[in-house]
Amino acid sequence: QVQLVESGGGLVQPGGSLRLSCAASGFTLANYAVGWFRQAPGKEREGVSCMRSGPYYLDSVMGRFTVSRDNAKNTVYLQMDRLKGDDTAVYYCATGPSLCGLRWADSSRYNYWGQGTQVTVSS
C-alpha cells in the first residue's frame, strides 16, 4: 500500500527554521518526483518545491527552502530557513509523476498525497 507520511511541522518564530520529512512506504520514492505543496486558510494549494529532476522552487521560497532526499530511508526532506508569516500553511508532500518537469506545480499530476503537517510562523 502506497503511503506518504509528513512530519516536522510546528510553531516557529519569524526568521526561524523547520525541517519537514516525507517518509514513503509501499514504493521506492527515488523512482518518482516528489512535490511539496502548501495550503494556507482561504487560499489555493500551491506548489513549493519538486525534486527528482530539478529541483524546482516557488519563487517566494527560493534561497530559503532546500529539498533533499535520503534514499536509504525512503524519505524526502524540506529544510525551511528564514521563515516568514506568509509561509504559514499546511504542508503536503505528494508523488506520482516520474519527473517534475515544467508543470511541477500542477497538483493534478500527483496521485499520492500525505496527510499534511501544519507550519505556523508567528511571534
Side-chain angles (χ1 to χ4, degrees):
Q1 181 179 357
V2 173
Q3 190 173 18
L4 296 172
V5 177
E6 300 101 336
S7 61
L11 173 64
V12 63
Q13 291 186 343
S17 298
L18 283 173
R19 189 178 78 157
L20 305 184
S21 300
C22 173
S25 59
F27 71 105
T28 302
L29 205 53
N31 294 337
Y32 299 90
V34 178
W36 285 96
F37 292 79
R38 68 186 182 187
Q39 188 164 20
K43 295 186 177 181
E44 293 187 355
R45 187 171 297 186
E46 64 177 354
V48 175
S49 179
C50 183
M51 78 173 302
R52 189 170 186 223
S53 54
Y56 297 87
Y57 295 99
L58 179 68
D59 285 349
S60 63
V61 309
M62 191 85 69
R64 300 188 297 121
F65 290 12
T66 305
V67 64
S68 63
R69 70 163 82 230
D70 185 334
N71 290 338
K73 295 183 178 180
N74 212 23
T75 299
V76 171
Y77 303 97
L78 182 68
Q79 176 68 40
M80 305 186 296
D81 298 318
R82 303 198 305 279
L83 283 161
K84 305 175 182 179
D86 288 347
D87 296 320
T88 296
V90 177
Y91 283 71
Y92 302 88
C93 64
T95 192
S98 57
L99 296 172
C100 297
L102 295 179
R103 292 175 53 228
W104 67 268
D106 181 353
S107 61
S108 68
R109 295 180 65 228
Y110 297 79
N111 305 108
Y112 303 102
W113 292 79
Q115 82 287 356
T117 185
Q118 176 70 46
V119 171
T120 302
V121 184
S122 176
S123 56

